[in-house]
Amino acid sequence: MPSAKPSVLDLAPVVPVVVVDDLNDAVPLARALVAGGLPAIEVTLRTPVALDAIRAIAAEVPEAVVGAGTVISARNVADATAAGARFLVSPGWTDTLLEAMRGSAVPFLPGVSTTSEVVALLERGVTEMKFFPAAAAGGTAYLKSLGGPLPQARFCPTGGITAGTAPSYLALGNVGCVGGSWMLPADAVAARDWARVASLTREAAALR
């Protein structure tokens, strides 16, 4: 990530990873997350309403820093930034995708899961990355091992992280924040219990 752009890793200890199925949920959900103390919100591009959700949050919840996740193409980059995304997160990367993200006006976290991918990004001047899928790819032990030979790389691990395991990730020197969705239990979202979401979010925000 170019140093001239702000760091996603320093916005909050936890970045909520949000899948919006019903567009009507986007704004109240974002408000609950902001109220709980986690303003950086990653809306994944996995549903037909995702771009509209980003657009709505950007317009109606100005205190949120809304970004786009599951960015896997140059078209995703263009569409997400046009919708108002203020950061981009990908599950993996290619040179084509990296070029598109570099060309955007926002910070980005390309996804990695191997040492070689980390080294390749460092060669390209990128030092901030998403580690995905974190739990399946080796978890805290893997990230700790990377810290010795590759101390310049910093990560946002995402994938399989829970309220119970997040603190062990956040204790690592090369982890800036973690991504997760445990503060958004499916039953609470289905019931539109935004007070419960805000309460769980406050607990997540207090992890560091």
Side-chain angles (χ1 to χ4, degrees):
M1 186 179 304
S3 59
K5 297 176 181 177
S7 173
V8 179
L9 301 183
D10 298 326
L11 291 173
V14 180
V15 176
V17 179
V18 179
V19 179
V20 179
D21 292 302
D22 186 336
L23 184 57
N24 292 321
D25 292 341
V27 167
L29 188 155
R31 286 176 175 155
L33 293 173
V34 170
L38 295 180
I41 302 169
E42 177 188 334
V43 177
T44 64
L45 301 182
R46 301 181 193 175
T47 67
V49 300
L51 289 171
D52 285 333
I54 291 171
R55 194 171 289 111
I57 294 169
E60 299 183 46
V61 194
E63 59 270 42
V65 181
V66 63
T70 322
V71 174
I72 59 172
S73 69
R75 176 63 182 269
N76 286 162
V77 172
D79 289 346
T81 53
R86 293 168 62 183
F87 64 91
L88 304 170
V89 184
S90 68
W93 68 278
T94 65
D95 280 317
T96 299
L97 178 58
L98 186 64
E99 181 180 357
M101 291 194 293
R102 277 190 190 278
S104 74
V106 299
F108 56 88
L109 295 173
V112 297
S113 60
T114 69
T115 306
S116 294
E117 290 172 316
V118 176
V119 172
L121 283 176
L122 291 175
E123 281 185 349
R124 291 158 174 79
V126 178
T127 60
E128 298 186 350
M129 311 164 195
K130 170 180 177 172
F131 179 60
F132 176 83
T140 55
Y142 194 98
L143 285 168
K144 186 175 182 180
S145 296
L146 289 179
L150 303 171
Q152 63 272 56
R154 294 179 71 216
F155 302 94
C156 173
T158 303
I161 296 176
T162 67
T165 61
S168 62
Y169 284 93
L170 291 168
L172 298 176
N174 58 353
V175 170
C177 63
V178 299
S181 56
W182 70 86
M183 73 295 300
L184 295 162
D187 58 341
V189 174
R192 294 185 167 86
D193 188 349
W194 307 126
R196 182 181 170 202
V197 169
S199 177
L200 291 170
T201 301
R202 277 189 287 274
E203 294 175 7
L207 287 177
R208 176 180 284 166

